């Protein structure tokens, strides 16, 4: 969450107001006074550049780039200091935010469970392997989703876990000869959540030219599968 204002002029005022409390509280905030001094120098430079920019705007727009650059440099250092203060607050508590004159951040919104796989695709490899693929929409902010893949040989065999995949595809190299149907069950998982599962059937056959074929039919899906 960025606490710096969007307007450059407002950003100058914002970081200028932090120089005194960050200087006096540097030890407690665990930030380097030299960095605060560097920030203060950039605040002064930014004010000077802003004033020159405003005065010369009508006749010389070249100062725009210089002004923006120095404010951007100021913002980088200022936000780095804010990140360090936030790191200090994680162990020092909300009093650190009060000392730094920064707002206490809101707790992050919970991220929903992984989505349910869909839109299954299948292709046959020349070595007899079967490549399956799928799509799966994930909630905003979700990272690190992997997929558990289960397989059932034939129409009535048990589901057996065969692999995990970090992407939305998997190549199955181990279909026994003579099997005419395989059912896959796929489930998205993260370290803190488990998604629903979906199944799809792969039917094997041959075309008029005698070439092996594979087609997909939909299976059942569920919002939950026991981990």
């Amino acid at each position: 969450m960025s606490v710096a204002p969007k307007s450059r002029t407002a950003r100058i005022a914002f970081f200028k107001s932090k120089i005194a409390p960050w200087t006096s509280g540097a030890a407690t905030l665990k930030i380097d006074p030299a960095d605060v001094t560097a920030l203060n120098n950039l605040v002064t430079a930014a004010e000077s550049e802003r004033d020159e920019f405003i005065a010369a705007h009508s006749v010389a727009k070249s100062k725009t780039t210089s002004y923006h650059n120095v404010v951007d440099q100021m913002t980088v250092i200022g936000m780095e200091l804010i990140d360090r203060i936030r790191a200090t607050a994680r162990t020092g508590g909300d009093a650190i935010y009060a000392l730094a004159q920064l707002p206490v951040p809101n707790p992050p919104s919970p991220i929903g469970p992984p989505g349910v796989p869909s839109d299954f695709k299948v292709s046959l490899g020349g070595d007899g392997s079967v490549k399956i693929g799928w799509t799966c929409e994930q909630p905003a902010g979700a990272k690190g989703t992997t997929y558990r893949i289960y397989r059932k040989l034939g129409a009535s065999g048990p589901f057996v876990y065969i692999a995990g995949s970090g992407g939305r595809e998997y190549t199955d190299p181990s279909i026994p000869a003579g099997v005419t149907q395989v059912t896959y069950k796929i489930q998205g998982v993260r370290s803190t959540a488990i998604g629903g599962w979906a199944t799809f059937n792969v039917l094997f056959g041959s075309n008029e030219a005698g070439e092996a074929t594979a087609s997909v039919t939909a299976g059942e899906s569920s919002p939950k599968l026991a981990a």
Side-chain angles (χ1 to χ4, degrees):
M1 179 184 69
S2 178
V3 297
K6 292 184 178 180
S7 161
R8 286 184 170 81
T9 297
R11 258 188 273 168
I12 293 172
F14 174 82
F15 284 112
K16 185 175 183 178
S17 72
K18 303 299 179 260
I19 298 302
W22 289 0
T23 298
S24 61
T28 304
L29 298 173
K30 296 182 181 180
I31 56 179
D32 192 339
D35 288 335
V36 181
T37 298
L39 175 65
N40 186 41
N41 291 338
L42 284 169
V43 168
T44 301
E47 288 180 319
S48 176
E49 293 290 344
R50 177 201 57 200
D51 293 344
E52 291 185 27
F53 165 75
I54 293 173
H57 181 66
S58 60
V59 293
K61 294 182 179 180
S62 63
K63 293 299 294 182
T64 301
T65 299
S66 177
Y67 166 51
H68 289 183
N69 284 345
V70 73
V71 173
D72 291 343
Q73 293 175 44
M74 174 195 71
T75 302
V76 168
I77 290 183
M79 294 308 299
E80 287 178 352
L81 290 171
I82 288 175
D83 286 341
R84 293 180 210 170
I85 292 169
R86 286 173 174 163
T88 302
R90 282 195 282 271
T91 56
D94 291 350
I96 294 296
Y97 289 109
L99 177 61
Q101 296 183 11
L102 293 172
V104 178
N106 294 323
S109 300
I111 297 175
V116 177
S118 61
D119 299 328
F120 299 103
K121 297 179 177 61
V122 62
S123 60
L124 297 177
D127 58 355
S129 63
V130 175
K131 183 177 181 179
I132 57 175
W134 59 92
T135 61
C136 190
E137 293 187 7
Q138 301 298 338
K143 296 180 180 180
T145 299
T146 59
Y147 297 90
R148 295 174 178 171
I149 303 171
Y150 303 77
R151 186 185 68 186
K152 178 174 69 174
L153 300 176
S156 58
F159 276 104
V160 177
Y161 174 82
I162 59 170
S165 175
R168 298 182 180 92
E169 63 180 25
Y170 171 69
T171 298
D172 187 349
S174 58
I175 304 297
V179 171
T180 59
Q181 175 178 325
V182 175
T183 302
Y184 292 96
K185 179 183 289 186
I186 302 177
Q187 175 190 42
V189 296
R190 295 197 306 273
S191 60
T192 58
I194 298 175
W197 52 258
T199 65
F200 66 101
N201 306 309
V202 178
L203 305 178
F204 300 103
S206 60
N207 57 23
E208 294 180 354
E211 299 170 329
T213 62
S215 59
V216 174
T217 62
E220 63 178 324
S221 62
S222 169
K224 185 178 182 180
L225 176 67

